[in-house]
Amino acid sequence: KAGVTQTPRYLIKTRGQQVTLSCSPISGHRSVSWYQQTPGQGLQFLFEYFSETQRNKGNFPGRFSGRQFSNSRSEMNVSTLELGDSALYLCASSSAPGAKTGELFFGEGSRLTVL
Amino acid sequence: GDSVTQMEGPVTLSEEAFLTINCTYTATGYPSLFWYVQYPGEGLQLLLKATKADDKGSNKGFEATYRKETTSFHLEKGSVQVSDSAVYFCALSGSGTSYGKLTFGQGTILTVHP
């Protein structure tokens, strides 16, 4: 079956703009998590959604937000972009909420460059 | 809070050499532990996992044992191949307020030469 699909794969924005990234989970998966990957900070958890509800949130400013739709697809938005937001944004899905017992399936990521 | 520390890399080995990548963690309660691998140009994929103390996870010749007494989950492989070249991440899933997220180590770049 199809894996986790993230769009767009690459994008370039300028400071102050906003961006929306999309994630389509594996069919049947209801949990979606987002992570930011940078060379300096590594992989950091942004938030997790299950059945359209945010279940957990990482330590990021309010400029980072997300949502999940009834078909489990998810979007994340970053407003007022800063240079430090340049990163690979990874989406992961699982069949159950939480990562404790289940396996996370990751997409290939959306690489955001802020100029 | 929860944290994961991996040995600093990169690691460069010859084919058929023995691999160890060290991983130690700090967490409250009883976390689950994971190794994820990221091949060039791809997303992360689960390599192996262990959900309780003394469990051994294994896959594709890789092994790691959940050692609660030393808070460690070291990754080992007896004979590496060129195709094992990738970035390896140790991660944990905690309990309580951190339930539902993975805390990752910094990653270790492994390069295997023929």
Side-chain angles (χ1 to χ4, degrees):
Chain A
K1 55 185 175 182
V4 177
T5 304
Q6 293 188 243
T7 56
R9 291 291 314 280
Y10 303 90
L11 65 167
I12 300 173
K13 294 285 187 179
T14 57
R15 281 180 296 174
Q17 288 187 311
Q18 74 167 16
V19 65
T20 299
L21 309 178
S22 179
C23 172
S24 293
I26 290 172
S27 178
H29 284 190
R30 296 167 62 190
S31 174
V32 173
S33 304
W34 289 88
Y35 291 81
Q36 181 196 64
Q37 185 176 20
T38 60
Q41 299 298 316
L43 280 154
Q44 293 186 287
F45 172 79
L46 281 157
F47 24 66
E48 178 190 18
Y49 289 88
F50 180 78
S51 293
E52 302 178 66
T53 301
Q54 187 180 88
R55 291 178 51 91
N56 209 340
K57 189 178 192 305
N59 189 25
F60 278 81
R63 300 185 297 106
F64 291 81
S65 63
R67 60 179 175 169
Q68 187 180 33
F69 302 95
S70 58
N71 62 358
S72 295
R73 191 178 68 85
S74 177
E75 289 182 348
M76 66 162 283
N77 184 77
V78 187
S79 62
T80 320
L81 285 166
E82 300 177 359
L83 295 179
D85 297 333
S86 294
L88 181 66
Y89 290 88
L90 293 167
C91 170
S93 75
S94 68
S95 57
K100 188 170 181 65
T101 57
E103 174 179 353
L104 293 187
F105 295 82
F106 283 84
E108 294 180 328
S110 292
R111 184 166 296 281
L112 170 66
T113 301
V114 182
L115 302 176
Chain B
D2 297 345
S3 67
V4 176
T5 302
Q6 284 181 238
M7 66 182 290
E8 294 187 12
V11 175
T12 302
L13 296 172
S14 298
E15 205 165 27
E16 299 184 1
F18 184 84
L19 168 70
T20 299
I21 301 178
N22 290 337
C23 171
T24 57
Y25 68 89
T26 301
T28 56
Y30 301 92
S32 291
L33 301 174
F34 307 85
W35 277 100
Y36 276 81
V37 59
Q38 187 175 32
Y39 297 102
E42 299 183 14
L44 278 74
Q45 54 186 273
L46 179 67
L47 181 60
L48 52 84
K49 69 176 183 181
T51 58
K52 61 182 187 296
D54 299 325
D55 267 3
K56 176 186 282 188
S58 61
N59 186 25
K60 299 181 181 180
F62 291 90
E63 293 182 340
T65 301
Y66 188 162
R67 301 287 189 199
K68 191 164 178 62
E69 64 275 13
T70 54
T71 62
S72 65
F73 193 54
H74 305 321
L75 182 67
E76 296 182 336
K77 186 174 185 183
S79 177
V80 294
Q81 305 299 311
V82 172
S83 58
D84 293 327
S85 298
V87 184
Y88 292 81
F89 294 92
C90 185
L92 70 82
S93 175
S95 56
T97 58
S98 64
Y99 186 82
K101 75 173 189 180
L102 288 178
T103 299
F104 285 90
Q106 285 295 102
T108 300
I109 300 172
L110 170 66
T111 303
V112 181
H113 293 297

